[in-house]
Amino acid sequence: MTPIGSALSLTPFNFILISMSQIAELTLDGKKYEFPIIEGSEQEKAIDISKLRDQTGYITIDSGYKNTGATKSAITFLDGEEGILNYRGYSIEDLAEKSSFLEVAYLLIYGELPTEKQFAEFEHEIRTHTLVNEDMRKIFEGFPVNAHPMGVLSSLVSAMSAFYPDANGQNSEEATQLHIIRLLAKLPTIATWSYKKSQGHPVNYPQNDLDYCSNFLNMMFSLPVAKYNVDPVVSAALNKLLILHADHEQNCSTSTVRLVGSSHANIFSSISSGISALWGPLHGGANQEVIEMLEAIKADGGDTQKYINMAKDKSSGFRLFGFGHRVYKNFDPRARIIKKAADDVLNKLGINDPVLEIAQKLEKAALEDEYFVQRKLYPNVDFYSGIIYRALGIPTNMFTVMFAIGRLPGWIAQWKEMRENKEPIGRPRQIYTGAPKRDFVLMSERK
Ligand code: ACO
C-alpha cells in the first residue's frame, strides 16, 4: 500500500490508499477496484475488503491475523503504540483506581456505568445466583485430584449448558440476561472447587452477604474449623487485578468466544472455548509460566543474564514469559498499574518475596538489552500479576483461573455484541498448498 502520488506499479497488484475520498484503490492484473475506508471513533482506519473475493477472485492471507480486523466493536479501545486501554471510553487507569470489578462488568456488558439503582439490582442478582447445582459437584468429583484447574473450569462451564438446556443460542433478551448473571455468579464458586480438592479440604458454599471478591476469597480460604476474615487489602488488590483483566478487545480467547458464538452456539459453550484458548502459555497461561520461570531462575542462583541470553538464542526454544505483546509495542498500561500494585500489596501485607527481586532484575536487564529494545518487547500484564496472586495466597496453577474470572465480563460483552449486531458465522478462507488432484490408488497397488 502506498500513499497517493507515490504509486508504484507492483505486480500483480498495487494498493493505493486515497484517504481524501475514503477509498482504497487496488490495481490487480491491470484492472482497478475500489474499496471503502472505514474509520473508527478513535480514528483507526481500515480497508473494507468484504467484497474483495466477489470482485477480484482473490482473498487475503494474514497469518496470526496481524492486520485483520474481524469485527467493528464499541467495547474496548486500545492503542498499542501509545499504551492506551479504554473500556467503553473510560481509561483503565481511572477504572482501576475508582471502580469495582462488578461495576466494570456492568459497564462492559451493558455499555454505560450503572446508576446506584441499576448497580444494586445487578449485584443483588449476582449474589443470589452463586449457588451451583449439586449435580455439577458430582461431575467435578470425577476429575482426578491433580487435574489442571483450567481444564476443570472449561469443562464445568461447558457442562452448564446441560444444566440450563434452555440456553440454545436463540434466546430472548431476558433469557440471555439470566444466563449472563448465572455465569458471573457461579464462575468463582466453581473455580474454588479445584483448589479445595487439591488441598483435600471440603468445598465451601458461597455466602450471599459478601461482596464478589470477598466471597471468592472466603470460598478459597475458609475452613470448617477456622473462620476466615477477608483482609480488605487482599480484597482490594483482587478487585484491581480483575478490573485490569476484564477485557482486551479481539485477543485470542475473545476471538474464540465470538467465533464459536457466531455459529449460534450457546453462551456457556462459547465461554468454555474462550477458557480453553486462554489456558495456552502464549496467552493467559503465561502468568503461571512467569512465576515458574522466576522460581527456576532463583533456584538456579538468580543469574538473570543467563536467562536473557537463553531467550535471545532462538535455538534454545526458550522465551521470556511475561515479555512481549502482539499489540503493545511501547508499554502495556496494565503492567504499569500491576507493577505498582505488587509493590503496594507486598508492603501492606509485610511480605518479602525474593521472586519480586528477580522479576525487577530481569525487567531492568531486558529493557537495557538491544534484542528486547529492537523488538519492542516490554513486560506484559502477566509479568507482575503472579507476584500479587502469590502474595494473596493463590497457588500457581490457579493463576490463569484468576485471569478467566477477570476476563469473563469481556467475553460476555463481546459475545452479546456479536449476537446483537447479527454478525455472520465466522469462516476464514485459506490458500490450499497440498497435493493437486490425483487418482486413488488401491492399497494392493501402492509401493
Ligand atoms: N522472549 C524472547 N523473544 C521474544 C519474546 C519473548 N518473550 N516475545 C517475542 N520475541 C521475539 C520473537 O522471537 C521474534 O523475534 P524475531 O523477529 O527475531 O523472529 C520477535 O520477538 C517478535 O515476536 P513474535 O512472536 O513474532 O510476536 P507476536 O506478536 O506473534 O507474539 C507473544 C506475541 C505471543 C505475546 C510473544 O511476545 C510471546 O510469546 N511472549 C511470551 C508469552 C507471554 O508472555 N504471553 C502473554 C501475552 S499477554 C496475554 O496474552 C494476556
Side-chain angles (χ1 to χ4, degrees):
M1 202 185 314
T2 51
I4 191 158
S6 59
L8 307 168
S9 55
L10 298 177
T11 357
F13 71 82
N14 176 22
F15 240 141
I16 307 170
L17 174 63
I18 308 173
S19 57
M20 293 302 285
S21 56
Q22 299 295 295
I23 279 177
E25 206 174 77
L26 171 69
T27 311
L28 191 57
D29 299 332
K31 231 175 133 187
K32 277 194 180 154
Y33 303 90
E34 288 185 348
F35 298 95
I37 305 283
I38 330 180
E39 191 169 322
S41 47
E42 290 279 4
Q43 288 76 53
E44 291 172 297
K45 288 193 169 68
I47 303 165
D48 179 352
I49 56 153
S50 47
K51 300 271 187 303
L52 178 70
R53 189 169 178 280
D54 282 351
Q55 292 182 9
T56 67
Y58 282 68
I59 61 163
T60 56
I61 280 280
D62 185 18
S63 179
Y65 309 119
K66 292 187 179 188
N67 309 281
T68 297
T71 190
K72 287 181 249 171
S73 176
I75 302 170
T76 289
F77 170 71
L78 79 82
D79 181 330
E81 276 70 38
E82 297 296 323
I84 294 170
L85 173 61
N86 299 337
Y87 299 161
R88 302 278 189 190
Y90 298 100
S91 80
I92 193 66
E93 288 81 7
D94 252 10
L95 293 168
E97 187 63 34
K98 299 173 189 162
S99 190
S100 72
F101 175 62
L102 280 195
E103 190 182 26
V104 167
Y106 187 101
L107 170 71
L108 286 168
I109 297 169
Y110 305 110
E112 292 296 338
L113 286 169
T115 61
E116 272 181 39
K117 184 167 173 283
Q118 287 168 328
F119 185 71
E121 278 170 15
F122 180 61
E123 200 191 22
H124 173 78
E125 285 288 297
I126 290 171
R127 278 183 201 241
T128 49
H129 281 88
T130 50
L131 208 55
V132 175
N133 189 310
E134 285 294 308
D135 284 341
M136 286 268 286
R137 282 271 297 284
K138 292 184 192 148
I139 299 176
F140 169 72
E141 295 307 335
F143 286 102
V145 69
N146 57 354
H148 195 286
M150 281 298 276
V152 174
L153 193 69
S154 168
S155 307
L156 291 179
V157 170
S158 178
M160 284 176 82
S161 54
F163 287 82
Y164 304 106
D166 63 309
N168 56 21
Q170 306 286 349
N171 295 113
S172 64
E173 206 178 304
E174 200 184 356
T176 300
Q177 168 63 9
L178 185 54
H179 301 143
I180 290 173
I181 294 291
R182 282 180 173 143
L183 271 165
L184 289 166
K186 294 179 204 303
L187 198 75
T189 310
I190 296 168
T192 60
W193 290 353
S194 290
Y195 173 63
K196 283 302 189 189
K197 187 166 184 167
S198 73
Q199 301 295 298
H201 295 159
V203 303
N204 286 320
Y205 285 99
Q207 301 290 317
N208 287 0
D209 57 334
L210 293 176
D211 65 67
Y212 199 78
C213 291
S214 304
N215 188 33
F216 172 77
L217 291 166
N218 187 63
M219 284 190 285
M220 279 288 283
F221 300 119
S222 85
L223 290 167
V225 291
K227 191 170 173 347
Y228 173 78
N229 292 315
V230 178
D231 183 336
V233 172
V234 171
S235 173
L238 180 58
N239 183 58
K240 189 170 281 196
L241 281 170
L242 296 183
I243 291 174
L244 293 174
H245 284 97
D247 195 46
H248 211 235
E249 51 116 300
Q250 308 311 316
N251 57 83
C252 176
S253 55
T254 303
S255 302
T256 302
V257 170
R258 286 185 88 123
L259 188 61
V260 173
S262 77
S263 74
H264 294 194
N266 69 69
I267 191 166
F268 301 112
S269 314
S270 308
I271 301 286
S272 162
S273 2
I275 295 172
S276 300
L278 185 74
W279 190 6
L282 296 189
H283 190 16
N287 58 11
Q288 175 173 347
E289 301 283 344
V290 168
I291 286 291
E292 286 170 359
M293 173 187 79
L294 294 174
E295 273 172 347
I297 298 175
K298 185 172 140 262
D300 195 19
D303 182 359
T304 47
Q305 194 54 49
K306 178 174 161 189
Y307 286 83
I308 297 263
N309 293 343
M310 240 162 77
K312 287 158 58 175
D313 174 8
K314 297 272 163 50
S315 67
S316 73
F318 172 77
R319 278 196 168 195
L320 219 47
F321 280 98
F323 267 80
H325 197 276
R326 170 58 63 79
V327 184
Y328 292 120
K329 300 297 175 196
N330 187 352
F331 67 93
D332 180 340
R334 303 165 302 171
R336 282 201 173 164
I337 300 171
I338 287 187
K339 184 180 181 182
K340 184 170 176 315
D343 279 346
D344 290 352
V345 168
L346 266 59
N347 274 338
K348 281 186 191 156
L349 297 178
I351 295 172
N352 182 14
D353 189 344
V355 153
L356 177 63
E357 214 175 292
I358 304 262
Q360 286 164 340
K361 257 175 78 180
L362 198 64
E363 179 185 354
K364 188 167 182 301
L367 294 184
E368 286 168 2
D369 193 292
E370 205 37 40
Y371 173 96
F372 290 86
V373 174
Q374 253 183 16
R375 289 170 180 75
K376 302 187 172 177
L377 302 170
Y378 297 87
N380 59 46
V381 67
D382 290 324
F383 193 63
Y384 283 103
S385 64
I387 290 169
I388 307 189
Y389 288 137
R390 262 158 73 102
L392 305 190
I394 291 163
T396 314
N397 70 355
M398 285 286 289
F399 288 0
T400 316
V401 168
M402 303 309 298
F403 194 152
I405 296 174
R407 183 54 55 88
L408 181 62
W411 288 330
I412 293 172
Q414 301 269 355
W415 185 92
K416 186 167 166 283
E417 180 184 67
M418 180 271 307
R419 292 305 310 276
E420 284 170 358
N421 289 351
K422 300 194 180 355
E423 289 185 13
I425 187 167
R427 206 297 188 187
R429 286 198 174 256
Q430 63 163 24
I431 291 294
Y432 174 67
T433 59
K437 180 166 180 343
R438 47 190 169 162
D439 294 330
F440 182 79
V441 182
L442 290 173
M443 201 182 285
S444 56
E445 290 166 18
R446 280 176 224 158
K447 301 249 166 48

